[in-house]
Amino acid sequence: MEIIFGVIFHFIGGFASGSFYIPYKKVKGWAWESFWIVGGIFSWLIVPPLAAWLTIPGFWDIIAGANHTVLELTYLFGVLWGIGGLTYGLGVRYLGVALGSSIILGLCSVFGALIPSVYYQFYPKAGKDTIADLATSHWGQLVLLGILVCIIGIVITGKAGMLKEKELAKDKEVAVNNTEYKFGLGIFVAIVSGVLSACFAFGIDAGKDMANVANTAWQAIHPNEGNFLYQNNVTYIVILWGGLTTNFIWCMLLNARNKTFGDYSNKKTPLLKNYLFSALAGTTWFLQFFFYGMGESRLGNGASSWILHMSFIILVANMWGILLKEWKGVSRRTFGTLTVGIIVIILSVVIVGYGNSIKS
C-alpha cells in the first residue's frame, strides 16, 4: 500500500509540473522575465515556508539549528539547479524543442537518479542505497532497468517531436530556419542543463539532516506510524532560496536590458489577472516538489522517486500537448511514435514500482 501511495503522490507531483506553465499563457502584455519572476517569487519564496508552516511545527528552529555545511551545500545545489533551469532554454534554442528537451530530461533523469547512489558508494550513510546495492540486488536491477527503459521512452518521444516539427513546417510551406541550430554548442549546453537540473535531487540529499529532524520529532508523537509524509518541506525552503537567487538575478538583468521593469505597474495590461495567473503558475509549480517529497517518504528510495517524478512530468506534458491539439495535423506515423514513447515511459514506471515493492 505504501508503494501505491508513493506512485500516486509522484503522479500528482508530475501533473503539477507538467501543467504549471498553462496559467502563464493567460498573462497578457508582460515580457517573459516579468511573469517568470513574479511566479517564481511564489514558487521559491512565499509558498515553501507557508507549506512548511502548515505541516512542520518549529521548522524555522530546524533550519536555524542545522549544521552550516548542510545549509551551504543545500543552498549551493539550489543555485546550481536554478542555473540548470535557465540553461534549459538555451539547449532548446540550439537543438530545437524536441531534441533539446529529450536530451536534457534524459540526462536529468539519469544524473538525478544515479549520482546520489554513486556518492553513497564512496561515502556510506545509513538508510541510503549505494550503486552496489542497486547493481547486486534483484530489486535494484529492476530499478536500473526501469531507468534505462525510461530513457528509451524519452528518446522515442523526442523522435516524435522532431517528426512533428518537420511535418508542420512542410505543411505550412515554411522553410526550416537553421540559423540558430548549433549541434556542438547545443549538446554542451544540454549536458550542463541536464546535470545541473538534477541538482535538486542532490539538494534533497544534502539537506536530509533537516528532514530527519522533522521526521524524528513527528515519529516521537506518532510512534509506529512510519515516516513523516511532509519531512522534506523544511529542506525545500533552503534549496529554493538558491533557485530564487539565480532566477532573480537573471530576470532583473533581463528587465534592465529589455527595459521591461514597467511591466509590473503597466495599467495598460490586465495587472490583477497577470499577477493572479503568475501566482497560480508559481504555486502549481511548487506543488510538484510538495508531492515529490510525499512520494519519496513512502518509497524511501531516491533513484526510484526521481525517475518516477521525471517520467510523470513527461507523460503529463505530452498529454497536455494532445489535449491542446499541439499534435493536430501530424501523420499517423508521428502520432504513433508519440504513443509508443508514452507507453514505454509508463512501462518504466511499472518496472521501477515493482522493483520497490520487491525491496519492501
Side-chain angles (χ1 to χ4, degrees), residues 240-271:
L240 294 173
W241 280 343
L244 173 64
T245 301
T246 306
N247 283 269
F248 183 81
I249 292 173
W250 180 245
C251 287
M252 292 303 99
L253 289 173
L254 289 180
N255 276 147
R257 188 186 72 178
N258 299 331
K259 299 179 180 180
T260 52
F261 278 113
D263 287 349
Y264 306 112
S265 59
N266 186 355
K267 295 183 179 180
K268 294 182 180 179
T269 63
L271 283 176

Side-chain angles (χ1 to χ4, degrees), residues 53-74:
W53 178 72
L54 291 171
T55 56
I56 304 177
F59 70 94
W60 279 122
D61 294 332
I62 296 176
I63 295 175
N67 182 282
H68 287 296
T69 302
V70 171
L71 291 175
E72 290 168 0
L73 280 175
T74 306

Side-chain angles (χ1 to χ4, degrees), residues 111-126:
F111 282 101
L114 294 183
I115 285 184
S117 62
V118 174
Y119 173 83
Y120 289 118
Q121 181 70 40
F122 297 98
Y123 302 95
K125 190 173 182 180

